[in-house]
Structures are given as C-alpha cells and as structure tokens.
Amino acid sequence: MILKPEVVRVLEREQRVCEMAIGRLEERVRPFERQYGWSTGQFLKKFNNGEAGDDKSFFLWYALAEATQDWQQTCESLKELLDSAELDSAELVSA
C-alpha cells in the first residue's frame, strides 16, 4: 500500500499513543498483581474460569486487562500497516 508521508506520520503518532496507553494501563494493574500475587495472565485465567471470586477490585482489574489487550491489538495492527506501507515516491521528491 502506498501512503503519503503525512499519513505515515499520523499512523506513527497513533502508534506512540497506543504505546503510552499500554504503559499507563500496565502501571494500573501492577498493584493488583502485587496484592494478589498473580500475573494478569494468571488472573484472567482464574477470572474467566470463575475461580477468582467476586471481589469488586477483580472487575476493575479485568477491565484494565481487557483495555490493555485492545490497545495491544491496535498497536500491532498499526505496526503491521506501517511495516507493509510504501511511501509515495512523488511525495518524497516534493517534500
């Protein structure tokens, strides 16, 4: 796919936004991991299997984990798009 340089810049900026969002979400799940002694992956298995319990904090942890996964998927899609993109050579000459 041929992309104009300004489109590439916007996609790169969005990728940075994704990375920042992931970092912030990961910071928010760390206290849960320390408190309960589980990684988020372990927690999700327990939660999805009904083994974690009904503590209110588990629902927040679950929401944060799901949001992290959504941002990670978005970030990966942007990376794939940018890796496969070609710059419009006519735009490069005039830039």
Side-chain angles (χ1 to χ4, degrees):
M1 172 184 298
I2 298 175
L3 298 175
K4 293 184 176 189
E6 58 269 18
V7 173
V8 170
R9 284 192 301 273
V10 168
L11 294 172
E12 289 171 339
R13 183 182 67 228
E14 288 303 308
Q15 190 174 27
R16 288 189 301 274
V17 168
C18 286
E19 291 165 356
M20 287 175 41
I22 291 166
R24 288 183 177 148
L25 287 164
E26 287 174 345
E27 285 175 15
R28 291 192 62 197
V29 300
R30 276 191 210 108
F32 294 110
E33 292 175 332
R34 282 193 299 271
Q35 180 179 351
Y36 295 100
W38 303 326
S39 70
T40 296
Q42 291 171 317
F43 162 71
L44 287 173
K45 277 187 177 179
K46 290 178 183 289
F47 188 87
N48 289 328
N49 290 332
E51 301 168 1
D54 293 330
D55 191 280
K56 190 167 80 171
S57 64
F58 289 154
F59 293 94
L60 175 57
W61 191 359
Y62 181 82
L64 293 169
E66 288 291 307
T68 302
Q69 289 177 348
D70 289 345
W71 278 107
Q72 287 169 333
Q73 288 174 346
T74 300
C75 197
E76 184 58 35
S77 295
L78 286 167
K79 182 182 180 329
E80 288 173 13
L81 180 60
L82 286 165
D83 287 348
S84 67
E86 297 176 35
L87 285 176
D88 184 343
S89 59
E91 290 289 326
L92 286 175
V93 172
S94 65

